[in-house]
Amino acid sequence: MDHNQHQHAAQDYSIPVVPGLGRLPTGQNNIIRTPALTPDPDSAFRLCEHSAGLIGPTPSQSPSPSPSPSPSPLHHFAPHRFQSPSSPFPPNAIPSLTKFSPESAIAAASAAAAVAKDQAWDKTIERIIKGIVSIKASTVRAFDTEAAGDYTATGFVVDKKRGIVLSNRHVVNPAPIIATAVFVNYEEVPLRPIYRDPIHDFGFFQYDLDKVKFLDVEQIDLRPDLARVGLSIKVIGNDSGEKLSILGSTLARLDRTAPRYGDDVYEDFNTFYFQAATGTSGGSSGSPVLNIAGQAIALNAGGSKRSASSFYLPLDRVVRALRCIQDDIPITRGTLQTEFVFKSYDELRRLGLTASAEALCRQRNQSSTGLLTVAKVLPGGPGHGQLEPGDILVACDGVLLDSFAPLWDILDDKVNTTVTLSLYRGKTPFKAESFVQDLHSITPNRFVEIGGGIFHDFSYQQARSYGMSVKDQGVYVALSGMLNWSSLTRNFLLTSLANKPTPNLDAFLDVIATIPDGKRVPVMHKELGQTRVSRGLVQIDRHFHLDHIFVRQDKAGVWDRQPLRPPSIVDQQPNGIDADKYEDDNDVDVVGQNKSLESIKQSLVYVTTRLPFSVYGYTSLRPYYGVGTLLSIENGFPIVACDRAAVPTEFVDIRLTIQHYTVSGRVVAMDKLAYLTFNLDELPAHVNLVAPPFDPSAELRVEDAVTVVGLDSLHSIVEKQTTVKVLADAGSTICNPPRFRLVNVEGISLTDSVSCDGGVIARKYSEKDDDEKEKDVYKIVAMWMNASAQNTSGNDTFWKTGLNYGTYVKPIVDHINRRRGRLHDDDDDSQQPRMPQRRTFNIEYGEVSLSNAAGLGLSAGRIRQFLRLAKKQLNSSNMRVLNVFDKFPHNDVLTNASNDLMIGDILLEIDGCPVVRLLDIEKQLLDESKESYEFVILREGQEKSVTIRPLLEMSNIAAGTSKIVQWNGAFLHETTPEAIEQVAHNTKLVPLIRGVYVGSVSFGGPALNNIRPAQWIIEVDGEPVDNIDQFLDLVKQKRWADEQFVLVKQVNRKDVTSVVSVQVNERYWPTRCLQRDANDGKWIHTVV
């Protein structure tokens, strides 16, 4: 049915028949006389008036005598006015209309018209909802103004023979997306984006017709010519996530300026917008704005947060684009790189428009209220140098212009040609010849993904927002990835890489092809809208990420993915350094008055790390940094220890700054601290490395004098004398999602705050030198480190604490060195345990004041004993006893040590030794000759003895982070000890060993909002998976096709299961495995 047929049909069914109501008598007996109305599709109320006889006959009708009164349904509208108990009229009769007042007749006819109009809308809605779809989409990569993530919106079918769906540009999206449409009968079909306008907020999807099997899809015709102020409209779509919402209003304005949404986001311009108060919200984008005939007169696009106003895009450019698609011809779009705005004649007069010019314009179009003016001209564009802000545009190629549509009718048809513009600048008329540029040529349609970053050409959208030239400004960074080394996030221009200019994407590709993986190179970048260029250093990452170039193919509705050239291998030539030079030597000449103190200062290392993905409870959106200390250089193998706030996991890139030189680091072991190493060959030969002196037997007491030596953020040495304030539990609260935290660790608090990012706590000793002279010697007794947790709002919190060297650090260092020594014999790193076999009682300790302990039944004798021991061991009377704060699950369920302990038990003795501090428990566990321990506890006011058998820590049993799988945007690895801490004690389903744990889910991935982080996958398509290797084998076996749904069963920490479906997409999310090499600690990725 063509547009005219639709219009006539609308007129037919929008004229309701009101039975029993004849025309009012003509001549002197007529109650009301009004001009006749010409029917149109939206004038239901007026047509009802006419059919009821409240409006005089049309010119084509001749007056006729009034028919005799007949039974009428008017009483249904106001029965109390026409009937009473004493009424002489029968129940189904009404008096003659001539007995009523004009006001009553109008009210009755209005009510009848309203009912008839509602009935007409009901029929329209019932028909057209078969052509409106709810859209679920995921932006799989950040691109231009769009960020990765999921969203819902609306679209409607505009060509049911070809399966074409119209929606907004910000729905169809310039970025690569995965989208599906859900029809009113809940049939779901995949959508392919086939066009998105470079400027205006519209685009098209397409679906396969054979995918819709159970619905006769309705096509909604586009009628931009029917829009007018006062038109009754309805907006039908997915409003606020509801599948079908119907909002009605009246079209109030047709010439609104395009809405302004802010910087760094998509904005429409060079068009009018319609406005009405429908109060639409998120999800309604792309909804049709319908008249009563079910025809779309506009496209819902946006709304105001401060009022009920909604903004609709006119359909004139949409109709043209649709015809081009239907005719299979290119959709040409022209531009002058100039933004125009509409000004009314009163404003134009203030800009200098003469009265004669205004009269001429008004004479040519008497309905015109203004003209277009130049608002912005981009540097380097076709209009630059010819047009200026404030110029008044009168005509283009001789065609009078008083709105946007006629101008773009010309420009879109004259791409790559020249047009003649007639303008006024002030009171002076002039003509300008301007080249019409292809708008698509300055709209990027490809991007490079490398090192987790996304790079593409600078777009007209971004250039227009900041008034910049589009050409050769630099390559646009939509996602920083490896550029996070310089604390950059996104939305900036990279102007130089490795000291070579990168004005555009092609230049960037040429430069990046010459830089090997792992090389540290300088970059220059510029924030949008800024003139100042900043400099930084980045490390090229082609080991954690896949490197691809994506090119959009609108015909197929997908982005083709091609790999980049393989990265070069880092060429590291040995510098001939003798490893013997780096043996521990306290007699090395150092600058300063105290050699020991200077050697401590030179051993400090500034540590900076970058997390390539958000995993293990940590985000990749911020840098991690802190201070480490060189602990050993035995056999030429350096060991650096730093806190876990700086190195949260093994899955990182690490930079170590040692004596002003930067080298690459890697993880050797992870415990309460991170233990790192590096290649000595990366340091210049003149750098003198010395392992500082330590006192592993030192146990600090309150008020002991100590010296803190550390580094600040500028890598400057910080030295401060202070004293020990408190020795107490440094443990932090649990985090969500689970991540590393200090548990059962005795921390050292100092009296004075020290402004540094970390360091060491040293103690001064008096010793005799070779000449028997007294000298001061500083020795490290503890690490001064950052601890982290989360506050009640889920935000990260940090504080400083000290960690005893002899108890917590030295055993790990000794184990690493012993392990390295054994490697010289068998040279098989995989057979050597990376961590010592640490034992645990599998509980978390808390602290209870003596006053509260007395209230719980602790005897006076015990209190005096603890006070005496606290004064002796801690030099403090501020004693707090330890209790059982929490119990952890363990794979050894039957012999779990915590089985015999209860939460709240107060610990008094272990094997006859009073428990005064946390170090007392740690020392007991270090004695591996003991298979069990006799505990004396206080429970329910009574002292009791229980025998406890220690277990291996879960960190020694759990596989940890040796292998990570990325599957449809979800990062999977085996169960971590931090996750086990938060598992329900009576769990039956959570795998405490190995398992498939969801570390995180990437924005835009198919797994987003389906597979949940911090849960375990226990079944895939009905097949159980117990570990990562089983999961990988299943993926290889199934080889699911793109768009195929896979059922995933998962379980959370409370043993609650759920089943979700994940739509596989290997094009944008290929399955890959990242595995840590056991010998050199490097991560290697392979596509599965």
PDB file of all heavy atoms in Angstrom, residues 255-266:
ATOM      1  N   ASP A 255      10.692  23.200  15.145  1.00  0.00           N
ATOM      2  CA  ASP A 255      11.919  23.908  14.777  1.00  0.00           C
ATOM      3  C   ASP A 255      12.870  24.059  15.951  1.00  0.00           C
ATOM      4  O   ASP A 255      13.566  25.059  16.088  1.00  0.00           O
ATOM      5  CB  ASP A 255      11.582  25.283  14.199  1.00  0.00           C
ATOM      6  CG  ASP A 255      10.794  26.156  15.187  1.00  0.00           C
ATOM      7  OD1 ASP A 255      10.418  25.643  16.270  1.00  0.00           O
ATOM      8  OD2 ASP A 255      10.572  27.332  14.874  1.00  0.00           O
ATOM      9  N   ARG A 256      12.903  23.052  16.804  1.00  0.00           N
ATOM     10  CA  ARG A 256      13.815  23.114  17.951  1.00  0.00           C
ATOM     11  C   ARG A 256      15.253  22.865  17.496  1.00  0.00           C
ATOM     12  O   ARG A 256      15.514  22.064  16.607  1.00  0.00           O
ATOM     13  CB  ARG A 256      13.440  22.061  18.994  1.00  0.00           C
ATOM     14  CG  ARG A 256      14.186  22.240  20.295  1.00  0.00           C
ATOM     15  CD  ARG A 256      14.122  21.021  21.175  1.00  0.00           C
ATOM     16  NE  ARG A 256      14.644  21.286  22.500  1.00  0.00           N
ATOM     17  CZ  ARG A 256      15.944  21.323  22.793  1.00  0.00           C
ATOM     18  NH1 ARG A 256      16.828  21.108  21.841  1.00  0.00           N
ATOM     19  NH2 ARG A 256      16.357  21.569  24.020  1.00  0.00           N
ATOM     20  N   THR A 257      16.194  23.551  18.131  1.00  0.00           N
ATOM     21  CA  THR A 257      17.604  23.290  17.877  1.00  0.00           C
ATOM     22  C   THR A 257      17.941  21.871  18.327  1.00  0.00           C
ATOM     23  O   THR A 257      17.393  21.371  19.311  1.00  0.00           O
ATOM     24  CB  THR A 257      18.474  24.299  18.641  1.00  0.00           C
ATOM     25  OG1 THR A 257      18.088  25.627  18.264  1.00  0.00           O
ATOM     26  CG2 THR A 257      19.955  24.091  18.349  1.00  0.00           C
ATOM     27  N   ALA A 258      18.845  21.214  17.627  1.00  0.00           N
ATOM     28  CA  ALA A 258      19.254  19.856  17.995  1.00  0.00           C
ATOM     29  C   ALA A 258      19.730  19.848  19.448  1.00  0.00           C
ATOM     30  O   ALA A 258      20.461  20.746  19.880  1.00  0.00           O
ATOM     31  CB  ALA A 258      20.358  19.364  17.071  1.00  0.00           C
ATOM     32  N   PRO A 259      19.313  18.863  20.221  1.00  0.00           N
ATOM     33  CA  PRO A 259      19.659  18.855  21.647  1.00  0.00           C
ATOM     34  C   PRO A 259      21.164  18.741  21.878  1.00  0.00           C
ATOM     35  O   PRO A 259      21.885  18.116  21.107  1.00  0.00           O
ATOM     36  CB  PRO A 259      18.928  17.618  22.187  1.00  0.00           C
ATOM     37  CG  PRO A 259      18.647  16.776  20.997  1.00  0.00           C
ATOM     38  CD  PRO A 259      18.489  17.707  19.843  1.00  0.00           C
ATOM     39  N   ARG A 260      21.600  19.352  22.962  1.00  0.00           N
ATOM     40  CA  ARG A 260      23.020  19.345  23.347  1.00  0.00           C
ATOM     41  C   ARG A 260      23.199  18.383  24.504  1.00  0.00           C
ATOM     42  O   ARG A 260      22.577  18.508  25.547  1.00  0.00           O
ATOM     43  CB  ARG A 260      23.426  20.752  23.789  1.00  0.00           C
ATOM     44  CG  ARG A 260      24.877  20.872  24.197  1.00  0.00           C
ATOM     45  CD  ARG A 260      25.727  21.371  23.064  1.00  0.00           C
ATOM     46  NE  ARG A 260      27.049  21.774  23.536  1.00  0.00           N
ATOM     47  CZ  ARG A 260      28.099  20.968  23.583  1.00  0.00           C
ATOM     48  NH1 ARG A 260      27.960  19.717  23.223  1.00  0.00           N
ATOM     49  NH2 ARG A 260      29.271  21.401  23.982  1.00  0.00           N
ATOM     50  N   TYR A 261      24.055  17.365  24.310  1.00  0.00           N
ATOM     51  CA  TYR A 261      24.238  16.331  25.327  1.00  0.00           C
ATOM     52  C   TYR A 261      25.542  16.461  26.092  1.00  0.00           C
ATOM     53  O   TYR A 261      25.705  15.861  27.144  1.00  0.00           O
ATOM     54  CB  TYR A 261      24.165  14.944  24.690  1.00  0.00           C
ATOM     55  CG  TYR A 261      22.845  14.645  24.028  1.00  0.00           C
ATOM     56  CD1 TYR A 261      22.775  14.337  22.679  1.00  0.00           C
ATOM     57  CD2 TYR A 261      21.654  14.695  24.755  1.00  0.00           C
ATOM     58  CE1 TYR A 261      21.563  14.065  22.066  1.00  0.00           C
ATOM     59  CE2 TYR A 261      20.435  14.427  24.148  1.00  0.00           C
ATOM     60  CZ  TYR A 261      20.398  14.103  22.800  1.00  0.00           C
ATOM     61  OH  TYR A 261      19.188  13.850  22.206  1.00  0.00           O
ATOM     62  N   GLY A 262      26.511  17.227  25.583  1.00  0.00           N
ATOM     63  CA  GLY A 262      27.777  17.398  26.281  1.00  0.00           C
ATOM     64  C   GLY A 262      28.952  17.017  25.406  1.00  0.00           C
ATOM     65  O   GLY A 262      28.809  16.569  24.265  1.00  0.00           O
ATOM     66  N   ASP A 263      30.179  17.216  25.949  1.00  0.00           N
ATOM     67  CA  ASP A 263      31.397  16.903  25.215  1.00  0.00           C
ATOM     68  C   ASP A 263      31.672  15.403  25.276  1.00  0.00           C
ATOM     69  O   ASP A 263      31.211  14.694  26.167  1.00  0.00           O
ATOM     70  CB  ASP A 263      32.586  17.668  25.806  1.00  0.00           C
ATOM     71  CG  ASP A 263      32.421  19.175  25.649  1.00  0.00           C
ATOM     72  OD1 ASP A 263      31.802  19.598  24.655  1.00  0.00           O
ATOM     73  OD2 ASP A 263      32.909  19.921  26.521  1.00  0.00           O
ATOM     74  N   ASP A 264      32.457  14.935  24.326  1.00  0.00           N
ATOM     75  CA  ASP A 264      32.895  13.534  24.260  1.00  0.00           C
ATOM     76  C   ASP A 264      31.746  12.553  24.067  1.00  0.00           C
ATOM     77  O   ASP A 264      31.911  11.356  24.308  1.00  0.00           O
ATOM     78  CB  ASP A 264      33.681  13.142  25.514  1.00  0.00           C
ATOM     79  CG  ASP A 264      34.997  13.889  25.621  1.00  0.00           C
ATOM     80  OD1 ASP A 264      35.561  14.214  24.565  1.00  0.00           O
ATOM     81  OD2 ASP A 264      35.446  14.149  26.742  1.00  0.00           O
ATOM     82  N   VAL A 265      30.591  13.048  23.674  1.00  0.00           N
ATOM     83  CA  VAL A 265      29.468  12.166  23.381  1.00  0.00           C
ATOM     84  C   VAL A 265      28.910  12.552  22.016  1.00  0.00           C
ATOM     85  O   VAL A 265      29.128  13.663  21.526  1.00  0.00           O
ATOM     86  CB  VAL A 265      28.357  12.252  24.453  1.00  0.00           C
ATOM     87  CG1 VAL A 265      28.871  11.777  25.791  1.00  0.00           C
ATOM     88  CG2 VAL A 265      27.809  13.670  24.573  1.00  0.00           C
ATOM     89  N   TYR A 266      28.179  11.631  21.416  1.00  0.00           N
ATOM     90  CA  TYR A 266      27.597  11.910  20.111  1.00  0.00           C
ATOM     91  C   TYR A 266      26.531  13.000  20.222  1.00  0.00           C
ATOM     92  O   TYR A 266      25.706  12.999  21.147  1.00  0.00           O
ATOM     93  CB  TYR A 266      26.964  10.645  19.537  1.00  0.00           C
ATOM     94  CG  TYR A 266      26.008  10.949  18.411  1.00  0.00           C
ATOM     95  CD1 TYR A 266      26.475  11.359  17.164  1.00  0.00           C
ATOM     96  CD2 TYR A 266      24.626  10.881  18.613  1.00  0.00           C
ATOM     97  CE1 TYR A 266      25.605  11.672  16.149  1.00  0.00           C
ATOM     98  CE2 TYR A 266      23.746  11.180  17.594  1.00  0.00           C
ATOM     99  CZ  TYR A 266      24.240  11.584  16.366  1.00  0.00           C
ATOM    100  OH  TYR A 266      23.363  11.906  15.364  1.00  0.00           O
TER     101      TYR A 266
END
